Amino acid sequence: MENEFTTVYLGLGSNLGDRAGNLLLAVRALVEADFCVHKLSAIYETEPIDIESDVNFLNMVAELRVTNVRASQMMARLLRIEYLLGRGNKTVKKPRTVDLDILFFGEVCLKSEFLTLPHPRLHMRKFVLMPMAEIAPTFVHPTLDKSIADILANVEDATDVHRWEPINGVGQELAVKS
């Protein structure tokens, strides 16, 4: 008999160094941490929110299928991945090489000092909702009782979020390094 799995949605972001490369390294680290990466959204470029930075973020959402792991255990592994990829203090609102956030852990609702699920601000952030709607538009938020597509259609966030174009993005990354 197959183990039952929990579907988890993660937000991934980067705005330091090789932003796209950092996202790729984060996805690779998720696989190496024995998480089954089932789907990945496209990459979206977004202006920073609540962070002082002149560099836009690259963001995406990953759908994972996990077995035999609790949300708090997963968060601990994600913090380790962030640390290994050069992330400093997670509480400091500064540019970062990689940011990994659990958006949803199945239908789990949790509020602790360490973790809040579902992510408490995801319903207000277009940079999370757009990639999430790409891979799971009908997923229903367990506390708002609305689909991701419906939440996105009514979000008040006016920030610029657009699909990242790798050809332009690669040129921009190289120009920054020169």
Side-chain angles (χ1 to χ4, degrees):
M1 183 171 135
E2 264 186 65
N3 287 340
E4 283 193 40
F5 62 85
T6 302
T7 300
V8 177
Y9 293 96
L10 297 181
L12 295 85
S14 175
N15 80 328
L16 270 184
D18 179 359
R19 301 171 301 161
N22 292 336
L23 293 178
L24 179 62
L25 288 171
V27 171
R28 180 179 174 181
L30 291 169
V31 172
E32 289 175 355
D34 290 330
F35 294 127
C36 175
V37 178
H38 185 65
K39 290 182 188 176
L40 295 172
S41 73
I43 297 173
Y44 291 79
E45 189 163 25
T46 67
E47 54 190 275
I49 298 176
D50 299 332
I51 292 176
E52 292 183 28
S53 176
D54 296 333
V55 180
N56 285 345
F57 271 85
L58 291 186
N59 292 95
M60 65 189 304
V61 169
E63 178 184 297
L64 281 61
R65 293 183 174 174
V66 301
T67 55
N68 302 320
V69 65
R70 293 188 312 269
S72 59
Q73 293 170 319
M74 181 172 211
M75 192 65 219
R77 290 188 200 174
L78 297 180
L79 289 170
R80 176 90 174 130
I81 291 169
E82 287 181 342
Y83 173 78
L84 291 171
L85 294 177
R87 171 84 189 257
N89 185 343
K90 189 166 177 79
T91 61
V92 177
K93 300 290 187 182
K94 292 190 175 194
R96 67 258 337 229
T97 53
V98 69
D99 184 32
L100 303 173
D101 290 315
I102 301 175
L103 305 174
F104 298 100
F105 192 92
E107 299 291 320
V108 171
C109 295
L110 171 73
K111 186 166 185 153
S112 73
E113 182 181 327
F114 183 60
L115 180 62
T116 301
L117 293 172
H119 190 285
R121 293 174 302 282
L122 76 89
H123 64 284
M124 299 181 291
R125 294 182 168 173
K126 196 163 47 168
F127 72 85
V128 172
L129 293 169
M130 284 180 71
M132 177 86 183
E134 179 187 324
I135 62 172
T138 60
F139 180 84
V140 176
H141 191 295
T143 58
L144 300 179
D145 200 32
K146 294 180 182 175
S147 73
I148 295 299
D150 288 341
I151 296 169
L152 176 59
N154 295 298
V155 71
E156 294 181 14
D157 181 356
T159 57
D160 179 33
V161 178
H162 58 273
R163 203 167 167 143
W164 182 63
E165 297 295 332
I167 294 171
N168 294 336
V170 170
Q172 290 168 357
E173 298 292 339
L174 293 177
V176 171
K177 291 179 183 175
S178 301

